[in-house]
Amino acid sequence: MSSAPHRVAAERAVADAHRREWAFVLAATARVAGDFDLAEECVQEAYVAALGAWGRDGVPQKPGAWLTATARRKALDVLRRRQVFRTKLPLLVEPDEAEIDIPDEVAVPDDRLRLVFTCCHPAIAREAQVALTLRLVCGVSTADIARAFLVTEPTMAARITRAKKKISAARIPYRVPEAAELPERLDAVLTVVHLLYTTGHTAPTGDELIRADLVQRALHLNRMLLALMPDEPEVRGLLALLLLTDARRDTRVDAHGRLLRLAEQDRAAWDRTAIGEGHHLVVDAFRTGRAGRHALQAAIAALHALAPSYAATDWPQIITLYDALGRSWPSPVVALNRAVAVSMVDGPATALAEVDALARDTRLTGYHYLPAIRADLLRRLDRNAEAARAYRAALDLVDNDAEREFLTARLAETTES
């Protein structure tokens, strides 16, 4: 019988293992099951089993190994029940966790990255590839994925369900792609890594601005990608973008956890090593002559990182880069970010006209940054009553506590003035 302290310890350990080990457990199980749905089901059952077993017996020394062994055992049981034991026999030799092997000839030498490439299967629509991978491999919630794609949570849940059904109906197997198949899947994989990082950089929900575990996971995946495909400029560009953005991590909130705008951050405290590496990578990406959307975003991030102050930032060059980015990757979010740069060059009134035009784009209906940016521009124009309404509109859409606190403070400043 489990004691209360054991139950509490087990719940914490399972939550921690879910955050840290989910993808590893899933990848190892999928290799045995040969089926995404079965693997996911068995992994979920293993986590449920862990709550009871760890609450009764204590948390094992290697929670990930315990979960992997349990999930794989459950998968084997299912396969046996399906009476395919003989045909699956070569796959059913279950090694100890320490002995889980990766064949030398495998194109992707990391379980988690291999599973990302595998899930980004070209038979599935691109958005579904990315959403499914974020949910299945990276453990990002459906609600947070929905926010990244600017759709509602039910819409995203339906897309993920359809993708899983297509995998099952089309009998798409769990098969690691060959080296020659990697380039056609690379753009989707890079999108997964970028959205994983973005979700960690500014958490869509919760009480903290940053989810460091997701940030670190995205950086790790990107570094492995660079080692695997060193000649791909977009791999370099994305790593540059992540490093240049993450260099500001420690200065994005104050000692009380309050959000600080870019203009308010202590530039002396930015990570100069990361900035140097990111700048080097983005220059390399541009030298290839094949710089894409990630390299362009990295170039914008580099201009911010290298500027001596917010006011002294090369805003005209940033607008030029946003124009190029908009041509290669048309997106209302890109246009909205460009409007911020326009406000620094041509003034808030010009930028406000661009933002108001974007407000007619239904894809931004639930995007809280649209009314938040609009509110800031109105405040700079001393149109405080309209700014207050825009801040309230942004507050109705935001789900992160740190951002909510920031907007609430801005609203108070506007209504008091």
Side-chain angles (χ1 to χ4, degrees), residues 35-282:
D35 178 299
F36 285 123
D37 271 348
L38 174 59
E40 187 182 20
E41 180 182 323
C42 292
V43 172
Q44 288 171 345
E45 289 179 4
Y47 275 86
V48 172
L51 276 175
W54 298 0
R56 182 184 62 248
D57 305 328
V59 178
Q61 286 191 338
K62 296 181 177 179
W66 189 99
L67 288 160
T68 302
T70 302
R72 287 160 64 99
R73 193 177 307 116
K74 288 179 180 295
L76 294 174
D77 289 344
V78 173
L79 291 174
R80 289 188 183 102
R81 286 199 297 273
R82 291 178 180 176
Q83 298 182 337
V84 294
F85 180 78
R86 291 183 185 281
T87 56
K88 295 287 185 181
L89 188 59
L91 299 174
L92 301 188
V93 179
E94 186 178 11
D96 292 337
E97 282 314 300
E99 297 173 354
I100 293 176
D101 61 315
I102 299 171
D104 291 341
E105 67 272 16
V106 167
V108 186
D110 175 85
D111 247 2
R112 184 148 46 189
L113 184 59
R114 188 161 48 241
L115 194 56
V116 172
F117 268 106
T118 303
C119 283
C120 290
H121 196 291
I124 311 170
R126 172 59 57 85
E127 279 198 3
Q129 290 176 31
V130 175
L132 183 66
T133 309
L134 285 169
R135 182 73 195 97
L136 194 64
V137 182
C138 302
V140 179
S141 71
T142 302
D144 287 351
I145 298 170
R147 283 187 167 274
F149 280 92
L150 305 180
V151 298
T152 65
E153 185 175 351
T155 298
M156 182 49 66
R159 286 183 188 175
I160 293 173
T161 300
R162 281 199 299 273
K164 291 169 74 173
K165 284 182 177 176
K166 178 159 187 176
I167 289 174
S168 178
R171 298 183 180 278
I172 297 171
Y174 171 77
R175 185 183 66 78
V176 180
E178 304 289 340
E181 298 174 284
L182 300 186
E184 68 173 327
R185 304 188 185 198
L186 180 59
D187 187 64
V189 170
L190 289 171
T191 303
V192 167
V193 175
H194 188 200
L195 289 180
L196 179 63
Y197 176 83
T198 302
T199 303
H201 177 70
T202 302
T205 55
D207 56 359
E208 294 184 353
L209 183 66
I210 301 164
R211 282 194 58 185
D213 58 323
L214 299 186
V215 168
Q216 289 304 123
R217 196 175 302 167
L219 281 164
H220 182 60
L221 284 171
N222 206 153
R223 287 197 182 280
M224 285 191 294
L225 266 177
L226 183 60
L228 182 68
M229 308 174 84
D231 297 327
E232 290 289 345
E234 279 296 85
V235 175
R236 289 174 176 267
L238 181 57
L239 183 55
L241 173 62
L242 269 51
L243 288 168
L244 289 161
T245 308
D246 197 49
R248 299 188 282 106
R249 189 197 307 186
D250 292 342
T251 65
R252 294 181 62 222
V253 294
D254 65 14
H256 303 289
R258 287 191 290 259
L259 186 153
L260 296 175
R261 297 183 309 151
L262 185 59
E264 300 166 331
Q265 295 170 13
D266 179 6
R267 289 171 184 251
W270 288 356
D271 184 342
R272 292 295 157 187
T273 301
I275 291 172
E277 183 182 359
H279 185 234
H280 175 73
L281 285 166
V282 73

